[in-house]
Amino acid sequence: MDPLMREEIAGDVSAPHPGLKPFKYNPKNSRLKPEASDKDVLTLARERMRTIFERFDHVSVSFSGGKDSTIVLNLALEAARELGRTPLDVVFYDEECIYTENIDYVRRVAADPDVALRWICVPVKHRNACSSESPVWYPWAPEDRPLWVRELPPEAITEIPGYDYTDPATRLSIPEVSGLLFPPTLGNVVQLLGIRADESLIRRAAVSRRVVDNYIVKDRGGYGGANDVQHAGNVWKAYPIYDWRTEDVWLAPKRLGWDYCRVYDLLDQIGFTPGKQRLAPPFGEEPMQRLDQYHQCEPALWDRMLSRVPGAQTAKRYSRTELYAFGEIPEKPPGLTYEEWLRDLVTANFPEKEAAQVSKGIRAHLRMHYRKTADLLAPTVDHPLTGYSWAFFVKMAMRGNFKQRRQPNIGRKTPEQFQKDLAKYRADLARYQAELAEARALQGDTP
């Protein structure tokens, strides 16, 4: 929020909680604002790609077959050919539950003599938001061999030196294990990823921290599970198309004649708009809401996916309902405070280890709210300054937020809009406080 705006509204909300360090606007640490350029995004991406190749000893493309990684692959191939850096290292993690056309497309890419593709098929940790009892799953897990949706491809690399996946409890996610693919003998390594700022606030923040080379960041090993052996410190990540929009992503293949995954044609035929068309591991919080696309695009694959992870069939039917905290949240049980309900939800929805992670995330977001104001949270209306309500935390307690993609609803507001939102928040909070007072009276407690 603009600092002048913050001063103007300061008298309308309470001060930060006295037990927490108050949040202070610091221009040095704030995210940088985008600036206009006289160059188009294709020209800028090509310039970044040349800079990357000139700066790093080894360049590798993280490739999924999706539209964004397709753009990065083709731009990297252009630069590699111009600079004599072929064959280009391309890493593809096969996540088992993928479309047949996705597999065919990856094979077309691998057939290019300028591409050295590594087809990785190892058990890595993926989110299973379909089931609270089984919150993770592992493609190609040997213990699940009868449940595999397909046989290992002949190109499969089934071992990564230094990665022991024998014990499911110690398996890592792709970002955590990826450093093992790039030992220090390769020198300074950069992984090229098709992350774009307009896809989420987290991704926007990733490229809004520095003025120079904002699209190149140090690889810290994913979500904290990697150690110094798995990530030796010689790997960076780069986002050369961070400023592209969805329309840019689709215009490039059409104008430049690049191949792409034909699954997108199927998604278009069944009614998914370009902005909603994604190829991603199918059972996470967001992809789970689109499970029906597998049923429509490739029924035979979907039939095998039903038994691959617990809860898949239920999620296909109900993932866009309050059962999975989509849209409206369930009604709070009478007589409980939101704090009590959250504890019950976390305990009921997650095993002990994951419940601890979810609880930690909830506490972190609560601190962010109370560092800005001591105002209580309202049930469903966001606080106009912090963007939080109890509904935000209920969804976390039901679905988790393991990749930290769920963020508060904060946006620029005029003073007039702020006052309107503040009135709605206060009315929602007043109803909740009246409910609590009535409950205390029935129990004989003094308000």
Side-chain angles (χ1 to χ4, degrees):
M1 179 177 291
D2 187 282
L4 296 178
M5 177 70 175
R6 188 181 300 280
E7 292 177 6
E8 186 171 345
I9 66 173
D12 296 317
V13 299
S14 67
H17 191 281
L20 293 174
K21 182 179 179 181
F23 174 87
K24 292 184 179 180
Y25 175 78
N26 185 347
K28 292 183 179 179
N29 294 334
S30 64
R31 291 194 293 272
L32 299 169
K33 304 298 186 292
E35 295 182 356
S37 172
D38 57 356
K39 298 179 181 178
D40 59 73
V41 292
L42 177 60
T43 300
L44 290 169
R46 284 171 166 161
E47 291 176 354
R48 294 176 195 133
M49 200 64 77
R50 287 190 66 90
T51 298
I52 289 167
F53 273 88
E54 292 168 355
R55 189 168 298 176
F56 289 92
D57 303 311
H58 184 86
V59 178
S60 178
V61 177
S62 294
F63 183 64
S64 67
K67 59 184 185 298
D68 298 323
S69 64
T70 290
I71 302 302
V72 172
L73 170 67
N74 282 279
L75 291 172
L77 277 172
E78 282 185 355
R81 288 163 179 156
E82 291 173 6
L83 299 171
R85 296 279 295 274
T86 58
L88 176 67
D89 183 29
V90 177
V91 175
F92 170 63
Y93 279 94
D94 187 329
E95 293 155 339
E96 188 188 328
C97 295
I98 61 177
Y99 294 102
T100 301
E101 171 50 38
N102 198 355
I103 298 169
D104 294 342
Y105 174 49
V106 174
R107 286 200 170 113
R108 295 198 299 272
V109 169
D112 188 326
D114 290 335
V115 169
L117 188 135
R118 292 191 270 179
W119 195 309
I120 310 295
C121 296
V122 296
V124 289
K125 182 167 60 178
H126 279 298
R127 176 80 170 103
N128 176 28
C130 303
S131 169
S132 59
E133 296 180 355
S134 302
V136 296
W137 75 286
Y138 312 97
W140 309 115
E143 68 273 14
D144 293 337
R145 177 66 185 82
L147 300 178
W148 289 0
V149 301
R150 43 185 257 269
E151 294 298 322
L152 280 167
E155 304 92 338
I157 297 172
T158 58
E159 299 288 341
I160 297 177
Y163 180 43
D164 182 4
Y165 53 76
T166 306
D167 181 4
T170 62
R171 289 173 184 163
L172 302 175
S173 65
I174 289 175
E176 291 165 341
V177 78
S178 63
L180 291 172
L181 298 176
F182 311 109
T185 54
L186 292 177
N188 287 330
V189 176
V190 63
Q191 297 182 81
L192 303 180
L193 294 94
I195 285 178
R196 294 185 291 113
D198 74 342
E199 292 184 304
S200 72
L201 289 174
I202 292 292
R203 294 184 172 189
R204 183 183 181 87
V207 294
S208 302
R209 298 298 185 187
R210 296 186 300 167
V211 175
V212 179
D213 295 341
N214 62 311
Y215 58 95
I216 301 175
V217 299
K218 186 73 172 178
D219 187 355
R220 303 296 180 185
Y223 309 116
N227 55 38
D228 292 341
V229 175
Q230 292 152 348
H231 274 262
N234 65 316
V235 181
W236 278 257
K237 297 182 292 187
Y239 315 128
I241 63 165
Y242 74 88
D243 51 356
W244 287 43
R245 303 182 68 85
T246 301
E247 51 266 35
D248 300 319
V249 171
W250 281 121
L251 184 61
K254 181 176 179 61
R255 289 268 182 94
L256 302 173
W258 293 341
D259 193 8
Y260 66 94
C261 182
R262 298 302 190 270
V263 171
Y264 289 106
D265 294 340
L266 297 175
L267 295 177
D268 188 63
Q269 291 172 20
I270 63 176
F272 282 87
T273 60
K276 298 295 185 181
Q277 297 172 5
R278 288 184 174 86
L279 299 184
F283 305 117
E285 280 93 351
E286 291 82 12
M288 175 186 66
Q289 298 166 22
R290 301 184 295 273
L291 277 177
D292 191 57
Q293 74 182 46
Y294 289 87
H295 186 199
Q296 296 184 67
C297 291
E298 194 168 339
L301 171 64
W302 172 247
D303 287 345
R304 296 189 293 271
M305 288 171 59
L306 283 174
S307 58
R308 184 62 183 91
V309 302
Q313 176 73 311
T314 303
K316 173 182 172 290
R317 291 188 177 188
Y318 302 110
S319 63
R320 298 179 68 85
T321 71
E322 68 177 29
L323 181 63
Y324 286 89
F326 182 87
E328 299 295 326
I329 63 172
E331 185 175 348
K332 179 180 68 65
L336 290 181
T337 65
Y338 273 96
E339 292 92 331
E340 294 168 334
W341 190 30
L342 282 181
R343 283 193 289 268
D344 291 346
L345 286 172
V346 172
T347 302
N349 283 323
F350 300 98
E352 183 177 355
K353 179 181 177 181
E354 286 74 19
Q357 290 179 262
V358 173
S359 297
K360 181 180 179 180
I362 289 174
R363 290 194 297 271
H365 281 281
L366 283 171
R367 283 195 297 272
M368 285 300 299
H369 172 78
Y370 287 113
R371 284 180 64 198
K372 294 184 178 181
T373 177
D375 287 349
L376 300 176
L377 292 169
T380 59
V381 177
D382 296 334
H383 190 284
L385 179 62
T386 69
Y388 288 108
S389 68
W390 281 120
F392 176 93
F393 294 98
V394 169
K395 291 183 178 182
M396 282 188 67
M398 294 183 66
R399 295 170 55 184
N401 192 25
F402 294 98
K403 294 188 177 181
Q404 301 178 4
R405 289 176 177 168
R406 182 170 295 279
Q407 298 295 317
N409 183 24
I410 302 176
R412 289 182 173 272
K413 295 182 175 70
T414 63
E416 294 77 14
Q417 185 61 51
F418 185 90
Q419 293 300 327
K420 289 181 181 179
D421 292 348
L422 183 62
K424 293 178 182 178
Y425 153 78
R426 286 174 172 168
D428 194 36
L429 178 62
R431 287 190 289 270
Y432 177 47
Q433 291 177 317
E435 176 194 333
L436 294 180
E438 181 180 357
R440 287 194 295 266
L442 290 175
Q443 295 169 3
D445 296 336
T446 303

